[in-house]
Amino acid sequence: MFKGMGGLGDMAKMMKTAQEMQGKMAQLQEDLKSIMVTGESGAGLVKATATAKGELTGLDIDPSIFNVDEKEVVEDLILAAIKDAQAKAEARSKEEMGRMAESLGLPRDMNLPF
């Protein structure tokens, strides 16, 4: 298509690739909003659900842990479940970004700008 134009053909190809990558990154950002992960603590007594972007969307607490004398334990379990969900969200996000990078011919462990 750009034969005989020297480096301009390569530049056009790079621009097209960059546009494709930008589109895929935008789609991935949207996809991460719908991928759900669940963090747990206390052997599943407290569960926190979050999107792969790290937004907390739900909290499930087994009623058996509600004891006034153990308020601090319950608070710790809730915090632990939320932190677990956030860690899983980050890991899932990195996994999805790695797949996208790989599909673009980039190294899987490349840090993409989002």
Side-chain angles (χ1 to χ4, degrees), residues 14-100:
M14 284 183 1
M15 291 299 289
K16 182 178 180 193
T17 301
Q19 286 175 336
E20 287 175 11
M21 186 170 153
Q22 186 177 18
K24 286 184 178 186
M25 286 172 43
Q27 182 59 51
L28 179 58
Q29 287 295 314
E30 283 302 309
D31 292 347
L32 292 177
K33 291 178 185 177
S34 63
I35 295 172
M36 297 294 174
V37 295
T38 300
E40 298 182 8
S41 68
L45 292 174
V46 177
K47 297 175 185 173
T49 304
T51 68
K53 291 208 43 112
E55 179 185 338
L56 188 63
T57 60
L59 190 59
D60 180 42
I61 302 170
D62 188 294
S64 69
I65 67 172
F66 290 111
N67 180 337
V68 177
D69 298 331
E70 296 181 7
K71 178 182 179 291
E72 288 180 13
V73 172
V74 172
E75 291 169 344
D76 288 344
L77 288 173
I78 291 169
L79 265 176
I82 291 171
K83 287 179 181 179
D84 188 39
Q86 289 172 330
K88 287 178 179 177
E90 184 177 348
R92 182 64 186 267
S93 180
K94 284 182 181 179
E95 178 184 327
E96 295 296 325
M97 285 188 279
R99 282 188 193 145
M100 188 189 76

Side-chain angles (χ1 to χ4, degrees), residues 99-113:
R99 282 188 193 145
M100 188 189 76
E102 204 171 57
S103 76
L104 294 169
L106 300 170
R108 189 166 179 66
D109 59 353
M110 182 176 181
N111 290 328
L112 296 174

